[in-house]
Each structure stands twice: as C-alpha cells, then as structure tokens.
Amino acid sequence: MSETNLLGFLSGAPKRLYSRRPTRSLDFLANFKPRPPVEADHRQRHLIDRYLDVLIPLGVKSANRLPHLRTRAADDAAVEQILVKAKAAAGAPLVGLFPGAGHPSRCWPLKRFAELADFLVRNDHVRILVFVGPEARALVQQIRAQFPPATVVLENLTIAQVAAAQARLAVFVSNDTGPMHVAAAVGAPVVLLLDKRAPLSYLPQGERHKIIYNNIIADIGVEEVYEAARSVLAGSRAPTLFAS
C-alpha cells in the first residue's frame, strides 16, 4: 500500500487520493480534500466497500457493488480461434478449472482437479478448459497426462484473453486466485475452494457463487466440489442440461 502511495507521488499527478489504511499507507503523500474515511478492519469489511470509500470525496456514493468487466472484440476473437481449433467452440457447456495459486498451501491437489474433470465429462457431457498461469506451467505435462483427452489447456493467454475465455464459461472452479475474481467480474459463476483462514472480506460477491471450505484445502473431497459445480451448471447458464 505504501508503495502505491509513493508511486502516485512520483508520477507528478497534481491531485492524489488514496485509501487510508492505518500503519499501511503514507497519508502525507495525499493532497486531495476531503479525505476518504479511515479504513476499518480489513477482515470484517469487504474489499469492494473499502475501495468504494476512496471514491466518496469525488461524490461517488451509489456505485454498483458488483464488479463488472467487459471483454474486447479482439480478445473474444482470439479465444474463439483457439476454441474452434480445439473443436470446443460450440455444443457442450464449457467448465473452467484453475489449479494454480500464488502459494502451494492454497492449491487443491492437481489429481483431484483431474478427477473432478473426469466426473464432469463422463456424467454431464461438458468440455473442460484448464487455465494455466505462470506459476503452474511446470504442471502442463501432468495436466495433459491426467485430465480427460479432450481437455483444452489454455496457457500463454494475456489477462484480457483469460477474461474473454472465462466469459464463455458455465462454471469456473478455482483456488483462491486473482483469475477467480476476474471470472466473477465477467459473469462466470464460481466454485471457490478455500481453507478457513481466508477472510470473508475477499470472497466473490453474488448469489450464484459457491464457496467450499475446509481447515486444510487438500481435505476437500472431489464429490463435494462436483456437486457444487453440478448445481451451478443446473441452475445458471445451462438450465436444461439435466432436464432428462
């Protein structure tokens, strides 16, 4: 946070408005008045509301709490080309999986992601897209070996292309990651896998999302995640998928 304040000062911007975080911000580098309210306990108040507080001095008081990202036509076209090449552009609902995370302690085991993918393909006739970030590229060979043969592995995408691909999904199953929040913002229902140390203030907002907790993330069962993903599929973007 203090680094952001310093970068704003060094930018030469004539007006500087920052959030006010006790012990974490350099308030003397801000020069916009009035100042926003001092941030409350970050584990109790959602990050969205804390960010919106910074806009209060600008007169913004009724903004939509739910983040919304629009994809760009060029990125949509690039993703379409990838899916067409993989024969995944039409037909079966698309389910996205994100097995990576910033730290191993936040990662559900790759083997269980593979088992989940197998359940969804065999029972629900979906197409699996596995999103691979920079920290998980060493796993690509294992992913190709363990996941169903028709799985599409998406690597080397730009952030904007990741968003464009996620906007097509019927459900996105993910560890606690930045791409999970992007998925929620482009409209994909999320099944989020968490250990119970994660504060509620960082969870995606909206009724369509499912949060699965355990004291240790590796102890989350495949069946529990499958049922959550299947319920999202049945109730959101694929309402007729299980009509039979």
Side-chain angles (χ1 to χ4, degrees):
M1 182 61 198
S2 58
E3 294 88 346
T4 303
N5 300 159
L6 182 59
L7 288 172
F9 174 76
L10 295 175
S11 73
K15 294 291 185 180
R16 298 181 298 278
L17 174 63
Y18 307 126
S19 62
R20 300 172 64 194
R21 299 182 178 182
T23 74
R24 297 184 63 197
S25 61
L26 303 176
D27 292 345
F28 65 90
L29 294 180
N31 62 0
F32 195 99
K33 295 183 179 180
R35 293 185 176 185
V38 176
E39 183 177 280
D41 183 359
H42 74 280
R43 297 185 70 89
Q44 301 298 323
R45 198 153 182 265
H46 200 278
L47 186 62
I48 292 172
D49 300 304
R50 288 153 51 197
Y51 283 155
L52 289 176
D53 276 354
V54 184
L55 302 181
I56 292 176
L58 302 176
V60 179
K61 298 180 180 180
S62 59
N64 190 337
R65 286 190 72 258
L66 296 182
H68 179 65
L69 291 177
R70 295 182 182 275
T71 61
R72 300 181 302 191
D75 301 310
D76 294 337
V79 170
E80 175 74 13
Q81 186 175 7
I82 292 170
L83 296 180
V84 167
K85 184 176 180 180
K87 299 181 180 179
L94 301 177
V95 172
L97 306 180
F98 197 95
H103 192 277
S105 66
R106 300 209 309 265
C107 289
W108 200 43
L110 184 66
K111 181 180 179 181
R112 297 193 179 178
F113 270 108
E115 292 174 3
L116 173 66
D118 186 60
F119 280 2
L120 288 164
V121 169
R122 287 190 295 107
N123 298 332
D124 308 306
H125 312 294
V126 304
R127 193 70 183 270
I128 301 295
L129 308 183
V130 178
F131 292 76
V132 179
E135 79 287 341
R137 283 179 183 150
L139 300 176
V140 169
Q141 186 173 356
Q142 295 180 52
I143 291 170
R144 296 190 187 282
Q146 296 180 29
F147 282 65
T151 296
V152 180
V153 179
L154 298 175
E155 53 179 329
N156 301 320
L157 298 183
T158 67
I159 294 175
Q161 289 170 348
V162 168
Q166 291 173 326
R168 295 168 173 260
L169 299 177
V171 61
F172 185 69
V173 183
S174 177
N175 299 313
D176 184 14
T177 66
M180 176 272 297
H181 291 287
V182 175
V186 296
V190 168
V191 174
L192 172 59
L193 311 179
L194 282 176
D195 63 30
K196 288 191 176 180
R197 292 171 293 177
L200 298 178
S201 54
Y202 291 93
L203 299 183
Q205 299 292 282
E207 296 179 355
R208 297 179 304 161
H209 308 307
K210 303 286 186 181
I211 315 298
I212 300 179
Y213 293 100
N214 202 299
N215 288 325
I216 301 173
I217 193 169
D219 289 343
I220 295 175
V222 176
E223 294 81 4
E224 184 179 8
V225 181
Y226 170 66
E227 289 301 326
R230 196 171 194 266
S231 69
V232 173
L233 279 167
S236 60
R237 292 190 175 185
T240 63
L241 184 61
F242 308 109
S244 61

